[in-house]
């Protein structure tokens, strides 16, 4: 009986470690995609490039992941709250400082080694990185 309990604890510990590692790999992938998009204003609109950079970052660690990239533009006038603009970059509509931010989301479904009673057999993981473009 004790051996069976020890095996369940060992499998649970292994799964916890695997899901933690996958979460860290997804965080790094999202960051890699966002870093790609922050290199220049032109790359901030290269959504496919950001998604590819994120996927390449995670490919060796966790395999194929789902990625999505986007960008937003803000108009900062004075010290008030920035206004999110509809067009990016807002040509002629902002009299203040334009800030462009890129956002990359990396996600994947994690499958447990063994489904335990009362616990889900899969866990959906998603990590987001938002950075300001140069």
């Amino acid at each position: 009986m004790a051996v069976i309990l020890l095996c369940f604890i060992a499998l649970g510990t292994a799964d916890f470690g695997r899901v933690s590692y996958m979460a860290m790999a997804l965080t790094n992938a999202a960051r890699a995609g966002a870093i790609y998009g922050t290199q220049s204003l032109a790359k901030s609109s290269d959504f496919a490039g950001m998604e590819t950079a994120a996927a390449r970052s995670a490919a060796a660690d966790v395999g194929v992941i789902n990625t999505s990239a986007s960008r937003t533009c803000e108009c900062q006038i004075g010290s008030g709250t920035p206004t999110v603009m509809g067009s990016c970059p807002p040509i002629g509509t902002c009299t203040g400082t334009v800030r462009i931010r890129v956002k990359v989301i990396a996600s994947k479904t994690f499958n447990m080694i063994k489904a335990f009673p009362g616990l889900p057999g899969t866990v959906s993981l998603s990590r987001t990185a938002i950075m300001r473009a140069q």
Side-chain angles (χ1 to χ4, degrees), residues 73-89:
C73 288
E74 299 173 346
C75 180
Q76 178 73 45
I77 300 173
S79 61
T81 303
T83 304
V84 177
M85 307 302 285
S87 61
C88 199

Side-chain angles (χ1 to χ4, degrees), residues 42-87:
K43 288 189 177 182
S44 72
S45 62
D46 182 9
F47 303 130
M50 286 187 271
E51 292 170 3
T52 300
R56 282 188 188 152
S57 172
D61 292 336
V62 295
V64 179
I65 63 170
N66 300 317
T67 57
S68 67
S70 62
R71 75 176 183 169
T72 58
C73 288
E74 299 173 346
C75 180
Q76 178 73 45
I77 300 173
S79 61
T81 303
T83 304
V84 177
M85 307 302 285
S87 61

Side-chain angles (χ1 to χ4, degrees), residues 34-35 37-41 44 72 74 76 97-103 129-134:
I35 288 170
T38 61
Q39 292 178 18
S40 68
L41 292 179
S44 72
T72 58
E74 299 173 346
Q76 178 73 45
T97 304
V98 176
R99 292 184 183 155
I100 298 176
R101 299 186 193 280
V102 295
K103 176 179 176 181
I130 301 172
M131 294 184 184
R132 185 174 170 185
Q134 297 292 329

